[in-house]
């Protein structure tokens, strides 16, 4: 028997061996007392588990497989998850404190970045996935420093599994009390959204920095204890970072994506990180020891780069300033997901069917933190045809635009124009809605502006 984070409904979690892959995994069981209740919910349960298998991120505990087991008196769902052998973050922090050590700031930054990377992924799904149970007990740490969030299915189980039909619904009261300070003031209300995860993350970040928020003999960690822990941080940026997460008003808390851009987390230069990710993703094109071989061929005193200043001495960067061992370690860390590439381009939000995230009522009130980017259009416009028709009073003009595309899937757009509307602004607006390639956008903007300008002189009638 093992503990991999408190999840309602999970009767037991045991260590198991995947004989096909040769790795240790966790065997989880959810028991249903009433077979009829289970039968009624079967399709919903299947859909949820199918969708859980789609959640794929280096900083989220992997959900491998599931199956249903029907017996005479009761039914059960068995699901297999990744085993986190090094234990929880809570256990690691306890050991560190016991050995009278303090938290390394670099490690704190790496951990925060990885947790936020996972939360940003979950929150950018459409509709967003709310974790709802983020504590230092549900965050796991591997021997190589990789952080993984577990118990992602906690809130989903609460939403999908019927109260009456599942064993083990109530967690130990002591555990609930011990972790109450991780939950935001609005937790459990109809208004709660991804901001509840940001609050929980803020408390985790604070605990990671101070190793433990003292409860001073009370069963529950008080607001005063949280404030005192925050004030004890020497770095003003760390203090500001954690305080922004635990604001009482949910709307005032930043998003996970915003927090990834915070100055306090800026540990590795963007260009270095981008270059490392580029190297890792194209490694199959390079010899095995290419970094080692390349660094050997350099003259240690050779000049790698120089920054010149007119009013003061410049900066010279030599090859001897870079340690090949440190470089190898950094590349290995990037490969293992310790430095996620989050601060460059927004990846496309991951479509996840509704059963995996929130109930329909909750989805209505939730806004995705980042808008879905549009796909770029590569098709070419072969011909443009514009028709402008004004009414007799000359108070309104109707514009029809026909775009003949190279794949024969043509576009037709239309709008009404008022006399004082700017030709240039209208042209740019229509170009935006036309959704065509950048090259064709410039041509269309000029074409429309010319047509609109020529038509402006007419009181009524048609221009083609």
């Amino acid at each position: 028997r093992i503990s991999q984070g408190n999840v309602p409904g999970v009767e037991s979690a045991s260590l198991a061996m995947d004989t096909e892959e040769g790795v240790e995994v966790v065997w989880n069981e959810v028991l249903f007392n009433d077979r009829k209740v289970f039968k009624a919910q079967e399709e919903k349960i299947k859909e949820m588990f199918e969708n859980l298998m789609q959640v794929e991120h280096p900083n989220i505990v992997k959900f491998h497989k599931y199956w249903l087991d029907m017996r005479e008196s009761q039914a059960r769902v068995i699901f297999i998850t990744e085993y986190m052998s090094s234990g929880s973050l809570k256990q690691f922090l306890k050991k560190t404190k016991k050995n009278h050590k303090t938290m390394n700031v670099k490690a704190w930054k790496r951990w925060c970045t990885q947790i936020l990377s996972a939360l940003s992924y979950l929150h950018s799904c459409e509709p967003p996935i709310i974790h709802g149970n983020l504590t230092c007990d549900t965050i796991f740490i591997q021997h190589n420093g990789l952080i993984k969030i577990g118990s992602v299915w906690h809130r989903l189980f609460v939403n999908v599994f019927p109260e009456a039909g599942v064993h083990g619904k109530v967690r130990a009261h002591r555990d609930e009390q011990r972790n109450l300070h991780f939950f935001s003031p609005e937790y459990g209300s109809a208004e709660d959204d991804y901001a509840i995860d940001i609050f929980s993350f803020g408390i985790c970040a604070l605990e990671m920095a101070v190793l433990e928020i003292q409860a001073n003999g009370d069963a529950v960690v008080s607001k005063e204890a949280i404030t005192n822990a925050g004030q004890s941080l020497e770095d003003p940026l760390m203090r500001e970072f954690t305080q922004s997460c635990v604001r009482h008003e949910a709307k005032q808390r930043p998003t996970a994506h915003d927090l990834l851009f915070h100055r306090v987390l800026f540990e590795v230069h963007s260009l270095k990180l981008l270059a490392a990710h580029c190297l890792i993703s194209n490694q199959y094109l390079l010899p095995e020891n290419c970094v080692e071989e390349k660094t050997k061929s350099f003259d240690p005193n050779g000049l790698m780069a120089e920054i010149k200043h007119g009013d003061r001495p410049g900066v010279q960067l030599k090859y001897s300033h870079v340690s090949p061992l440190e470089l190898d370690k950094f590349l290995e860390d990037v490969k293992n997901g310790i430095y996620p590439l989050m601060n460059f381009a927004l990846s496309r939000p991951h479509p996840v069917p509704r059963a995996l995230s929130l109930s329909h009522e909750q989805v209505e009130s939730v806004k995705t933190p980042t808008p879905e980017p549009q796909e770029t259009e590569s098709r070419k416009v072969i011909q443009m045809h514009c028709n402008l028709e004004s009414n007799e009073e000359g108070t309104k003009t109707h514009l029809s635009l026909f775009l003949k595309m190279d794949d024969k899937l043509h576009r037709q757009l239309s709008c009404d124009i008022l006399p004082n509307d700017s030709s240039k602004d209208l042209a740019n607006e229509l170009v935006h809605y036309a959704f065509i390639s950048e090259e064709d956008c410039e041509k269309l903007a000029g074409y429309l502006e010319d047509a609109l300008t020529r038509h402006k002189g007419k009181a009524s009638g048609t221009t083609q």
Side-chain angles (χ1 to χ4, degrees):
R1 290 289 181 93
I2 55 165
S3 173
Q4 291 267 305
N6 297 313
V7 181
V10 177
E11 185 71 11
S12 67
S14 310
L15 190 61
M17 175 61 80
D18 178 344
T19 52
E20 284 182 15
E21 298 294 330
V23 292
E24 288 180 315
V25 290
V26 181
W27 171 297
N28 304 271
E29 288 188 17
V30 182
L31 298 181
F32 288 78
N33 293 324
D34 193 330
R35 282 190 70 196
K36 285 180 182 175
V37 172
F38 177 77
K39 268 291 181 192
Q41 296 286 331
E42 191 175 349
E43 286 308 310
K44 202 176 179 184
I45 290 164
K46 276 183 182 175
E47 186 185 5
M48 186 194 79
F49 279 108
E50 284 292 333
N51 294 329
L52 274 170
M53 287 168 69
Q54 292 176 30
V55 175
E56 188 81 50
H57 190 277
N59 301 115
I60 294 175
V61 172
K62 178 71 182 142
F63 187 100
H64 290 300
K65 232 163 203 177
Y66 80 97
W67 62 92
L68 313 180
D69 181 24
M70 304 285 283
R71 297 180 184 178
E72 286 181 16
S73 56
Q74 60 182 19
R76 65 176 180 159
V77 181
I78 295 149
F79 64 98
I80 307 298
T81 55
E82 185 180 1
Y83 174 51
M84 304 306 294
S85 56
S86 300
S88 71
L89 190 59
K90 174 71 90 180
Q91 291 167 330
F92 183 88
L93 296 175
K94 269 188 177 177
K95 283 178 194 171
T96 308
K97 192 179 180 186
K98 197 176 176 182
N99 294 329
H100 306 289
K101 291 184 179 177
T102 54
M103 178 48 62
N104 179 285
V105 176
K106 276 191 175 181
W108 180 86
K109 288 179 180 183
R110 283 175 205 167
W111 291 355
C112 285
T113 306
Q114 291 176 71
I115 297 165
L116 287 169
S117 172
L119 287 179
S120 184
Y121 170 91
L122 293 172
H123 295 171
S124 68
C125 290
E126 184 54 55
I129 298 173
I130 311 298
H131 188 288
N133 189 32
L134 191 68
T135 70
C136 289
D137 285 314
T138 59
I139 297 170
F140 301 96
I141 182 164
Q142 288 186 322
H143 59 86
N144 61 356
L146 186 71
I147 288 283
K148 292 212 176 201
I149 290 180
S151 188
V152 171
W153 36 88
H154 176 275
R155 192 168 173 110
L156 315 179
F157 280 24
V158 172
N159 288 340
V160 173
F161 286 151
E163 285 286 341
V166 181
H167 270 307
K169 200 69 186 177
V170 182
R171 289 185 286 167
H173 181 67
R174 192 180 64 185
D175 279 357
E176 279 193 341
Q177 293 286 90
R178 183 168 64 92
N179 286 332
L180 268 179
H181 61 293
F182 285 96
F183 300 101
S184 62
E186 77 276 12
Y187 184 86
S189 67
E191 291 79 41
D192 72 4
D193 61 5
Y194 59 83
I196 66 169
D197 286 345
I198 301 301
F199 185 95
S200 301
F201 163 75
I203 301 293
C204 291
L206 198 52
E207 283 216 345
M208 288 181 330
V210 299
L211 301 179
E212 185 185 16
I213 301 173
Q214 297 288 344
N216 299 325
D218 299 328
V220 182
V221 174
S222 63
K223 285 181 186 175
E224 190 184 357
I226 293 168
T227 306
N228 292 340
Q231 294 300 329
S232 71
L233 298 174
E234 290 177 15
D235 186 339
L237 283 175
M238 282 174 76
R239 207 161 47 236
E240 191 270 324
F241 178 81
T242 53
Q243 284 172 355
S244 70
C245 298
V246 296
R247 286 175 185 146
H248 187 83
E249 285 292 320
K251 288 178 182 175
Q252 289 179 3
R253 290 174 215 145
T255 64
H257 186 258
D258 290 341
L259 287 167
L260 280 163
F261 283 90
H262 197 283
R263 283 179 300 162
V264 78
L265 298 183
F266 189 81
E267 186 192 350
V268 180
H269 192 283
S270 307
L271 184 59
K272 182 180 177 180
L273 188 58
L274 191 59
H277 274 270
C278 188
L279 188 69
I280 297 298
S281 39
N282 294 291
Q283 217 165 17
Y284 65 96
L285 298 170
L286 305 162
E288 199 173 325
N289 299 321
C290 70
V291 176
E292 190 184 337
E293 292 302 316
K294 195 75 179 165
T295 49
K296 274 181 190 174
S297 64
F298 291 138
D299 173 13
N301 295 315
L303 200 62
M304 184 166 54
E306 187 176 11
I307 303 167
K308 291 182 178 178
H309 299 293
D311 55 340
R312 61 188 189 278
V315 180
Q316 288 192 338
L317 301 168
K318 295 183 178 180
Y319 287 108
S320 57
H321 296 167
V322 181
S323 159
L325 281 173
E326 279 181 25
L327 200 59
D328 272 337
K329 173 73 170 71
F330 174 66
L331 286 169
E332 192 62 33
D333 286 346
V334 170
K335 198 175 181 179
N336 290 330
I338 289 168
Y339 294 102
L341 190 67
M342 287 299 296
N343 294 4
F344 291 92
L346 288 175
S347 56
R348 233 182 139 62
H350 321 278
V352 178
R354 200 170 294 279
L356 179 52
S357 55
L358 309 171
S359 64
H360 182 70
E361 292 77 23
Q362 286 170 308
V363 170
E364 295 301 317
S365 65
V366 173
K367 288 183 180 175
T368 310
T370 50
E372 184 172 332
Q374 289 187 325
E375 287 179 18
T376 52
E377 179 62 79
S378 57
R379 297 183 303 159
K380 295 284 179 192
V381 178
I382 296 168
Q383 193 179 359
M384 304 173 187
H385 182 80
C386 174
N387 188 68
L388 293 147
E389 200 169 329
S390 298
N391 60 5
E392 287 182 9
E393 296 78 26
T395 54
K396 194 166 68 173
T397 302
H398 185 75
L399 181 147
S400 298
L401 176 67
F402 178 75
L403 301 175
K404 192 175 180 181
M405 313 298 284
D406 62 356
D407 64 350
K408 296 186 170 57
L409 291 171
H410 312 313
R411 291 225 171 92
Q412 192 161 352
L413 300 149
S414 63
C415 71
D416 288 322
I417 305 165
L418 298 172
N420 54 351
D421 284 342
S422 154
S423 299
K424 194 169 187 176
D425 290 349
L426 273 168
N428 288 334
E429 196 175 335
L430 279 162
V431 162
H432 173 73
Y433 287 110
F435 193 44
I436 54 178
S437 68
E438 281 185 37
E439 189 187 335
D440 286 332
C441 276
E442 289 178 28
K443 292 177 187 172
L444 180 59
Y447 169 72
L448 284 172
E449 196 178 342
D450 182 50
L452 290 162
T453 306
R454 282 194 286 117
H455 185 77
K456 278 261 171 112
K458 296 187 180 183
S460 65
T462 304
T463 302
Q464 285 198 1

